[in-house]
Amino acid sequence: MPLNTGTGCSLGATVAACLGAARIAGLDDHDAVVAAHALFAAAGTLAARTTTGPASFRTAWIDALHELRPADMMGLVGVERS
């Protein structure tokens, strides 16, 4: 992702969306931030499997963000509580 412009800004917007949804649901802010980062990591993992360069990665990553479901993420990222 460091070769693609705007991923940090996109992450910020996703964190904000997750925070809004978590607060409505009565969930912890920290968990929402972790979820946003996990979503980006999972999408990056999927995109990296099928691409060879930054331009194709960008497109595949955006598609993965759109298509990922919560159940899909469990096998793509690991989150540990400390």
Side-chain angles (χ1 to χ4, degrees):
M1 284 186 248
L3 298 178
N4 285 285
T5 302
T7 55
C9 296
S10 299
L11 177 58
T14 303
V15 167
C18 288
L19 279 168
R23 288 176 180 172
I24 289 171
L27 302 173
D28 185 66
D29 285 354
H30 176 265
D31 292 344
V33 173
V34 170
H37 283 79
L39 174 62
F40 268 47
T45 298
L46 287 177
R49 291 179 180 172
T50 60
T51 60
T52 58
S56 58
F57 177 86
R58 179 182 176 274
T59 301
W61 176 69
I62 292 170
D63 287 345
L65 285 172
H66 174 73
E67 295 168 2
L68 271 171
R69 301 292 174 256
D72 302 331
M73 291 180 54
M74 297 307 291
L76 295 169
V77 295
V79 178
E80 297 178 15
R81 266 196 195 269
S82 57

